[in-house]
Amino acid sequence: MRYCGRLFPVLLLLIATAAAEPISFRRAIESALKRSGTMAIAFADQTKTRQTYLAAKNNYIPSVTFGSGIGYSFGIPLSVIGSAPSVFSVSSQQSIFDPYLRSNIAAAKVEWQASDLDLLDKKNAVIMETALVYSSLDNIASKLKILRDAQTSAKRSEFISTERLKEGIDSELDLKKAKLASARIQLRIIDAESQVDILRDQLSKLTGIPAASIETVA
């Protein structure tokens, strides 16, 4: 049972490592842009302002109406849009000069251009945030690998000091120094692991990729 209890955490670590999927920097950025709610709102605002501009501009497009007075009628024949009864009629209406309408179109165009800039600004912000989190995670994950290698060396030094103490070669002070060095490295590993967990969670929220399966590509 003691052996199984020691083996269980190792198995969990191996499973988590096997489930981890290398996520490239480009993929993280693309996933963040697709998932970002800020980007979705900015894109919706851009679409709205563009449609508002097109609606105002369409007032200068002529509206043409076709009609005909042919057909059975009883009493006074009905006219088509106020014109006299005719076999076939065509009428057109268009704004030629309207300062108020031109001002509305200009304002709508400015809002549309501003929404384009706002969308670009939001896109750059999402890219910057994702890039910082990704690079920080990759940096600390690399340091964590180095610390684990250092921990292995420290454990070896501690074991050697213990054996040398038994042989009377080293003193208890040497062993305490080896244990202290190992303990310091262990504390740094715990701190790095906590930072990795936090950054993975942040990157998961940005990209939508499960935190347990995130592994950066150096």
Side-chain angles (χ1 to χ4, degrees):
M1 292 297 294
R2 291 180 180 177
Y3 179 75
C4 293
R6 295 175 182 176
L7 185 61
F8 184 69
V10 178
L11 291 175
L12 289 179
L13 179 61
L14 291 176
I15 292 173
T17 304
E21 176 185 2
I23 308 298
S24 66
F25 181 78
R26 177 180 294 274
R27 181 185 170 188
I29 295 297
E30 292 175 349
S31 299
L33 291 174
K34 291 178 181 178
R35 180 178 172 82
S36 174
T38 303
M39 284 289 297
I41 294 174
F43 183 75
D45 289 340
Q46 182 201 41
T47 303
K48 178 183 177 182
T49 54
R50 180 177 182 273
Q51 294 300 325
T52 301
Y53 166 72
L54 292 178
K57 188 178 180 181
N58 285 343
N59 288 309
Y60 280 102
I61 298 177
S63 60
V64 182
T65 304
F66 299 91
S68 174
I70 298 177
Y72 174 79
S73 63
F74 179 79
I76 301 175
L78 298 177
S79 61
V80 180
I81 316 180
S83 62
S86 60
V87 176
F88 184 76
S89 64
V90 179
S91 63
S92 175
Q93 184 176 0
Q94 177 186 7
S95 295
I96 301 299
F97 179 73
D98 189 339
Y100 178 75
L101 182 58
R102 291 179 65 88
S103 297
N104 286 342
I105 293 175
K109 186 175 182 179
V110 170
E111 289 183 3
W112 180 23
Q113 293 172 344
S115 67
D116 288 343
L117 295 176
D118 182 65
L119 179 63
L120 180 60
D121 184 63
K122 297 292 176 54
K123 179 181 179 180
N124 290 335
V126 172
I127 291 175
M128 177 63 71
E129 183 180 5
T130 307
L132 288 175
V133 174
Y134 188 97
S135 60
S136 298
L137 176 59
D138 182 69
N139 185 30
I140 296 177
S142 300
K143 288 182 179 179
L144 186 58
K145 293 178 182 178
I146 297 174
L147 286 173
R148 284 171 177 164
D149 292 338
Q151 184 187 35
T152 302
S153 300
K155 289 293 183 181
R156 188 181 298 113
S157 298
E158 185 179 343
F159 173 77
I160 293 173
S161 295
T162 302
E163 295 300 317
R164 290 171 64 88
L165 179 62
K166 290 179 182 179
E167 298 294 332
I169 300 175
D170 285 351
S171 63
E172 292 186 2
L173 180 61
D174 294 326
L175 178 59
K176 288 181 179 180
K177 289 180 179 180
K179 289 183 177 180
L180 179 60
S182 179
R184 286 175 176 172
I185 294 176
Q186 182 63 30
L187 287 175
R188 293 177 65 185
I189 288 176
I190 294 174
D191 180 64
E193 288 177 341
S194 64
Q195 293 183 50
V196 166
D197 290 339
I198 293 173
L199 291 171
R200 275 183 176 166
D201 184 64
Q202 291 180 0
L203 192 59
S204 175
K205 292 178 179 178
L206 288 169
T207 61
I209 302 172
S213 65
I214 292 179
E215 181 180 342
T216 59
V217 179

